[in-house]
Amino acid sequence: MRTLRFSIFMAGVLLTTACGPVINILEVDVKLPAKAPLEIIGKQMAVFIPEYDSISVTDSTLTRMFAESFAEQLATVAGQPKGSVPLFSHKPDSLNPGFAQLPAYAQQLAVETESDLLFLVDSVSIGKFDALDVAGSAEGYKRQLLYVPFRGRVRVYDASKIEYTRNFPVCDTVAWELWVSKSRETLAIPTSAFEDLKNASLYIGKGLAEAFSDQWETQDRVIFTYEHPKWRQALEYADVFEWEKARDIWMELLNSQDPRSISCAAFNLAVSCEMTGNIDLAVKWLDYASKAYPMSEITYYKNLLEERSTEKKRFQTPIYQ
């Protein structure tokens, strides 16, 4: 967890009455843990895409654009110069059936390219277009969500271990919001669809590479205070990153007879735990706060922390077998 960059105080914003808690908004740089941790620092890497005689022009283009974006971002994430992760093509169809899936084939590619890690991109492809009617209509038109699945797979081969070590499924959806005639029965595919799909390939490829390392994101955090010296002192400590000192005061303030004050102190303790890297304890303090005095800020904050945990699990695929 990185430090606070600066604070914005919303003076006079009260939850209920004049003697109620004040909401203070702190802008923080949050370190989001890698969704799919992979050690790539200092590694020589190469990305491979297949060439199939039977693949469609669309899938071939999307595969290449995905791989190009993926390779470029791999270099960035690993702290290497732009273009340092090369992109190669290979022809699995020209080999004996099944050989392209074996470690021996990947080891051969690793030796030829002098690579520590190989990323073999299996063909990226799109599925069948479909649509859903969504709320909204006007003068003979209805609002429709057009969508298409975006699928693929990236296998990671570690030459030092002489084995495939990771298997990342690429599963996403590209969607468009359209207004179509209410009488229309066939799908309306926009003329920009192919360009949009190419842009999606770039975005998804970059996103997968970014999943290998921690990311920083600027977010807002709420700190509750009251017009009382101890509450103000705790806020001052938080503003200069003295979370342990702030935490000691908030722990003391839990002894209040006012349920709302207890909830605010527990909420602040949750923020301090997140800022010092203890997400699980932060969630427990939010549960404590909710039991003392439910507030919408508690629900929102807890959902944010749990969503981060869920997103991380989505990328944590098992070792390739």
Side-chain angles (χ1 to χ4, degrees):
M1 189 68 56
R2 208 156 62 181
T3 56
L4 298 175
R5 296 201 305 157
F6 58 85
S7 304
I8 303 175
F9 296 96
M10 298 174 61
V13 179
L14 306 182
L15 289 182
T16 53
T17 65
C19 60
V22 177
I23 293 178
N24 300 271
I25 304 298
L26 302 178
E27 189 176 76
V28 301
D29 285 341
V30 178
K31 185 178 182 180
L32 304 179
K35 299 172 183 176
L38 186 66
E39 184 54 58
I40 60 175
I41 305 299
K43 303 287 188 179
Q44 293 295 320
M45 299 176 285
V47 178
F48 279 81
I49 58 174
E51 286 187 7
Y52 295 113
D53 295 334
S54 59
I55 194 172
S56 70
V57 174
T58 298
D59 290 349
S60 177
T61 301
L62 298 183
T63 298
R64 175 165 289 278
M65 296 192 73
F66 169 90
E68 288 175 351
S69 178
F70 176 66
E72 181 176 338
Q73 195 61 25
L74 267 181
T76 300
V77 171
Q80 299 178 9
K82 184 176 181 179
S84 60
V85 178
L87 175 63
F88 299 99
S89 62
H90 65 127
K91 294 187 175 182
D93 285 349
S94 65
L95 306 170
N96 292 328
F99 182 66
Q101 305 297 319
L102 298 178
Y105 176 64
Q107 184 67 20
Q108 178 182 322
L109 297 178
V111 171
E112 291 176 356
T113 59
E114 300 181 344
S115 300
D116 303 314
L117 290 178
L118 292 186
F119 297 85
L120 285 82
V121 179
D122 292 342
S123 292
V124 170
S125 63
I126 58 172
K128 179 182 178 182
F129 281 87
D130 207 344
L132 291 172
D133 291 339
V134 294
S137 63
E139 298 181 0
Y141 288 87
K142 61 181 178 180
R143 196 159 56 132
Q144 194 172 72
L145 185 69
L146 178 71
Y147 63 92
V148 62
F150 187 103
R151 299 289 182 266
R153 184 175 68 156
V154 177
R155 292 175 292 144
V156 183
Y157 180 81
D158 188 328
S160 66
K161 298 179 180 179
I162 318 180
E163 65 179 2
Y164 288 102
T165 57
R166 301 296 293 272
N167 177 38
F168 295 105
V170 179
C171 302
D172 219 312
T173 302
V174 184
W176 297 260
E177 186 177 291
L178 308 172
W179 286 91
V180 299
S181 171
K182 288 184 177 180
S183 61
R184 187 182 183 107
E185 296 181 357
T186 58
L187 291 178
I189 299 177
T191 55
S192 65
F194 187 48
E195 288 301 316
D196 294 336
L197 286 168
K198 290 194 292 184
N199 289 332
S201 296
L202 296 176
Y203 177 80
I204 296 171
K206 178 182 178 182
L208 178 58
E210 290 175 343
F212 299 154
S213 68
D214 298 340
Q215 300 293 315
W216 291 99
E217 181 177 281
T218 301
Q219 296 181 355
D220 291 338
R221 289 294 181 269
V222 167
I223 294 291
F224 289 107
T225 59
Y226 282 80
E227 289 303 315
H228 185 280
K230 286 188 176 181
W231 284 93
R232 290 196 297 271
Q233 181 64 65
L235 178 62
E236 290 175 6
Y237 283 139
D239 192 34
V240 294
F241 328 132
E242 296 283 355
W243 291 110
E244 290 188 8
K245 292 181 179 179
R247 189 181 302 159
D248 289 341
I249 296 176
W250 290 325
M251 288 292 292
E252 183 181 344
L253 292 170
L254 290 174
N255 296 321
S256 170
Q257 298 301 311
D258 177 21
R260 184 170 55 179
S261 176
I262 295 172
S263 181
C264 290
F267 183 97
N268 291 351
L269 284 166
V271 176
S272 73
C273 289
E274 184 202 4
M275 293 299 109
T276 52
N278 197 332
I279 304 298
D280 291 339
L281 187 56
V283 172
K284 291 180 180 179
W285 275 118
L286 290 176
D287 290 336
Y288 186 98
S290 184
K291 290 179 181 178
Y293 190 90
M295 297 184 293
S296 60
E297 289 83 2
I298 298 173
T299 302
Y300 174 81
Y301 188 26
K302 184 177 179 181
N303 287 342
L304 185 150
L305 296 180
E306 290 180 341
E307 181 180 347
R308 185 193 306 174
S309 178
T310 300
E311 184 70 8
K312 181 179 179 180
K313 291 177 181 177
R314 188 169 75 90
F315 281 85
Q316 289 180 332
T317 53
I319 297 297
Y320 185 83
Q321 298 295 329

